[in-house]
Amino acid sequence: MSMPLQRILYVEDDPSIQTVVKLALELVGGYQVEVCDSGRAAMAALQRFRPQLALLDVMMPGMDGPTTLQHLREQFGFERLPAIFMTAKVQPAEVAVLKSQGALGVIAKPFDPMTLGGELERLWSGQP
């Protein structure tokens, strides 16, 4: 039985999507959410916030989602940080690549804010 999911580090460069996801996860889902607008900001927040899960946009300027996850997992204590990617590119081959990089799953954009928390829980509970 995994611990209940409470703290989510959310990395997304689009301010409008940041707002929708933060509201959906905090108000509807009851999670604590730390929003970062870049991989660099996520690196800075990691030790302070100590997330249980990284929720990452795939396509971002500078450091993309997979690269951000790689850097987060290089930090002491976060080598096995669970991650879920969000992307508009959800062709099976693209999803397979993201899962091969260690993601619990991939959530398609656009997404339904009312069911986002439930989707995270479903993917979270599937982890060993």
Side-chain angles (χ1 to χ4, degrees), residues 23-84:
L23 287 171
L25 294 180
E26 288 184 343
L27 295 179
V28 179
Y31 303 101
Q32 295 173 1
V33 180
E34 177 80 14
V35 177
C36 297
D37 62 1
S38 67
R40 187 176 305 278
M43 294 294 297
L46 186 67
Q47 296 292 343
R48 174 181 47 79
F49 184 65
R50 305 205 61 79
Q52 294 169 281
L53 174 73
L55 180 60
L56 303 147
D57 181 25
V58 171
M59 292 178 288
M60 296 185 289
M63 221 187 302
D64 67 4
T67 304
T68 298
L69 178 59
Q70 179 183 346
H71 285 290
L72 292 172
R73 286 183 171 166
E74 288 170 358
Q75 303 309 303
F76 179 77
F78 293 94
E79 297 87 353
R80 297 176 185 266
L81 179 66
I84 295 171

